[in-house]
Structures are given as C-alpha cells and as structure tokens.
Amino acid sequence: MMKRNIINWYEIRNLGDLSFNYRLLKVDMDVYDSEPALNDKNWNQLLMLVARSVRGSVSTYYHKGEKYIAIEENKKFQCETFKVVPSVAKVSTTNITGKVKFKELNSSNKRLAHDFLESSTRHQLSGIEDLWKFNNNTFLEKKPLFQTKPSNTDIFAGFSYKLYFDNKNRVYIVIDLAYKYVDNKSISQRISKPGHADKVDSYKGKRALYQNGNDWYITEVKGIGKPISEHQFIDDSNNKHVVLDYIKEQEYKRYGKVISVLDPNCNALLYSYPFQNKIFSGASCLVKLIH
C-alpha cells in the first residue's frame, strides 16, 4: 500500500483529458508448449523490434481471446517478418482499432494505457537536449556533478521513473534519484597512453557512452579498427564510407558539436547497441567507458 508521506510520488491529475487511439497487429509466430520462457523472450523481443520499426508505442493486447500487438493508430505498418529463436515471426496489420480513455480504465486495457503513457513520457524526456538516456526509464544531466582533478571518473546525476496505477485507477509518476559513473577520458585517450594498447581486448563487451554531439547514447564495445581517416564500412544501402568523411557529412545533424572535439587520428570504434548484434563504426575519441 502506498504511504501518503512519500514525496517522490506525483499524481497525474488530468487523466480525464488523456486518451490513445490504437491499431492491432496480428502475430504469426511459433509457440513452444514445453518452453514458456522462450515464448516470453521471443514475444518481448518482438515488441522491441516492432517499436523500433514504427518508432512509437507498442503493447500487448488481447482481443476476443487472441493475443495481438497494439501500436498507435496513426503509425504506418503493413507486414514485416522479424527473426526470433529459432525461426521467424510474421507481423501484419489489421483493421481492428480502438481508443483507450484513462477515465475508463479496466483490467483489459490497463496494460495498454500503462505502456502507451510510459512511451509517451519517455519520448518527451528524450527531446530534452540537456538530458541523456541511460535506459528506457533513467535519464541523466549531460553536465557532470563535479570534476576533481585526481579523479578519473565523471559522476552524472539524474533520475529514474516508473508509472504506478493504484486500485482506484489513479496514476502516479514515481521518481527516484539516479547516478552513473563514466570515465572522464575517451577510449582513444586511454589506448594511446604508453603501455595501454593491450587493454583494447579488455574493453570488449563493456558498456560505453557515445557523445555524438548533442546525441548521447549507450553502446557496447566490440573492438577497435583502423584510424578513422582510413577505416571503411558499408551502410544498409551497400554504400562504402570512410568513418571520418561520414562523420563530417553528418555534422549538420549534431549542431556543430562533433568536429570541434573530433581527433582525425583516433582509431575507429566498432560497437553495437545493447542487446543487438549489428555492428557499427564510429570514432573512439567520442566514446567513454561506463563504470
């Protein structure tokens, strides 16, 4: 039961004004009776992939006893095939639409309301330039708390949040303080120190903060490449690029905040996004390890 004296619970008072229109997507995916954990993992993976595809909110929704994926009605989606374990899932659009009104919540639509509201909140927070997202529910200020010269670590302060629906259909945003510790030197600076080149292998698999101009995001280190003036990669359209040239071409998206700190002699960084396998190429001078 919620205690009345907890000051980090904030009630959303205008629930009567909130609503979401949704469309249901049909899912054709193998289900294994003897492996419920695998089924759950595949479904959650599918939710993440569909959310990435539509760039919007998704949720699980049951309609007439059948399990669907709900997306925002105005999002475009026809039919896509996604890889799961050990096969594929086919997801296609339907004509089934509906509307969730927060003043009319019930057991059948409460999860949908929660997921859509949480996604909308996350989207709003992601648009604040002074914050960076550590994960879906944790945001931190881009300016470290303080920097002391003897320290090798920057401390970033922020908050994590979650939504809470009580048994009277009141909705609260619950806020907790959050802190993250990040190396105050880039990977490029670390490996360029005498005797530190052999540490490259120890960085593999570690989480790192990519400070790409005004766009900061979490990555996972996969390896180190050639200098960015030489390192090449092939994009999704099968076009070949040199990392340094590509970063300069994309500078207009970063509001001029990359070139001023970019070292053209640094090595390329091979990285992926957390829980993904696709490998990208970037600049190691823009990336710092997370402790």
Side-chain angles (χ1 to χ4, degrees):
M1 180 179 295
M2 188 188 71
K3 295 181 180 179
R4 293 293 179 184
N5 62 343
I6 294 179
I7 62 173
N8 62 338
W9 293 61
Y10 301 92
E11 183 178 0
I12 298 176
R13 296 294 181 89
N14 65 328
L15 286 183
D17 301 329
L18 301 182
S19 63
F20 291 100
N21 294 310
Y22 65 87
R23 178 181 301 278
L24 298 185
L25 305 180
K26 183 177 178 60
V27 177
D28 183 8
M29 180 174 67
D30 291 334
V31 176
Y32 305 95
D33 294 336
S34 61
E35 297 188 64
L38 177 60
N39 295 331
D40 289 343
K41 180 179 179 181
N42 280 340
W43 186 265
N44 290 331
Q45 172 78 0
L46 193 58
L47 286 173
M48 183 181 69
L49 293 171
V50 172
R52 190 175 302 137
S53 176
V54 301
R55 296 181 180 273
S57 307
V58 301
S59 183
T60 300
Y61 192 76
Y62 288 88
H63 176 71
K64 295 183 178 179
E66 189 172 349
K67 192 176 184 180
Y68 291 86
I69 292 177
I71 63 172
E72 298 162 62
E73 186 181 10
N74 62 348
K75 295 294 185 180
K76 294 181 179 180
F77 189 94
Q78 290 301 318
C79 181
E80 287 190 47
T81 299
F82 300 95
K83 183 170 179 55
V84 293
V85 179
S87 56
V88 295
K90 183 179 179 181
V91 182
S92 54
T93 192
T94 74
N95 293 321
I96 306 172
T97 60
K99 186 172 187 174
V100 173
K101 297 180 180 180
F102 278 74
K103 62 182 178 181
E104 300 174 1
L105 295 179
N106 53 57
S107 59
S108 66
N109 64 16
K110 188 174 287 189
R111 176 174 178 177
L112 177 60
H114 174 279
D115 292 348
F116 274 37
L117 181 58
E118 185 174 66
S119 177
S120 178
T121 303
R122 184 184 311 123
H123 176 74
Q124 295 295 323
L125 290 171
S126 297
I128 300 175
E129 188 174 342
D130 291 335
L131 298 178
W132 60 280
K133 184 176 73 172
F134 179 76
N135 57 35
N136 282 343
N137 299 90
T138 303
F139 290 81
L140 303 117
E141 293 188 45
K142 288 182 177 177
K143 184 178 180 180
L145 273 180
F146 53 82
Q147 294 173 305
T148 55
K149 290 184 178 180
S151 175
N152 292 322
T153 302
D154 285 334
I155 303 173
F156 292 91
F159 62 91
S160 61
Y161 77 94
K162 63 181 179 180
L163 299 180
Y164 177 79
F165 288 57
D166 71 9
N167 56 10
K168 295 183 179 180
N169 286 337
R170 291 174 299 197
V171 182
Y172 300 83
I173 296 181
V174 185
I175 305 292
D176 284 316
L177 296 177
Y179 300 92
K180 297 301 171 185
Y181 301 87
V182 180
D183 196 337
N184 62 11
K185 294 190 180 300
S186 69
I187 289 179
S188 175
Q189 290 173 307
R190 290 298 180 198
I191 64 177
S192 64
K193 287 187 174 183
H196 283 64
D198 58 349
K199 286 192 173 183
V200 171
D201 285 340
S202 68
Y203 294 160
K204 292 181 180 178
K206 291 185 178 295
R207 295 290 172 88
L209 175 61
Y210 202 126
Q211 297 174 315
N212 197 7
N214 63 313
D215 188 15
W216 292 20
Y217 45 88
I218 302 301
T219 62
E220 184 175 305
V221 178
K222 296 298 183 181
I224 300 293
K226 298 178 180 178
I228 58 174
S229 58
E230 303 173 20
H231 190 94
Q232 296 183 336
F233 69 94
I234 298 175
D235 65 18
D236 292 338
S237 300
N238 209 33
N239 297 315
K240 186 178 290 186
H241 303 273
V242 173
V243 172
L244 178 59
D245 296 338
Y246 184 79
I247 292 175
K248 289 180 177 179
E249 291 167 6
Q250 299 296 311
E251 171 68 0
Y252 72 95
K253 296 180 181 179
R254 313 303 174 197
Y255 303 100
K257 296 182 179 180
V258 171
I259 298 302
S260 61
V261 296
L262 185 66
D263 177 5
N265 298 312
C266 78
N267 290 82
L269 178 80
L270 307 180
Y271 69 91
S272 67
Y273 295 112
F275 309 111
Q276 297 184 37
N277 296 321
K278 185 176 180 179
I279 295 179
F280 299 87
S281 298
S284 60
C285 60
L286 302 179
V287 187
K288 298 178 178 179
L289 291 174
I290 296 174
H291 298 312

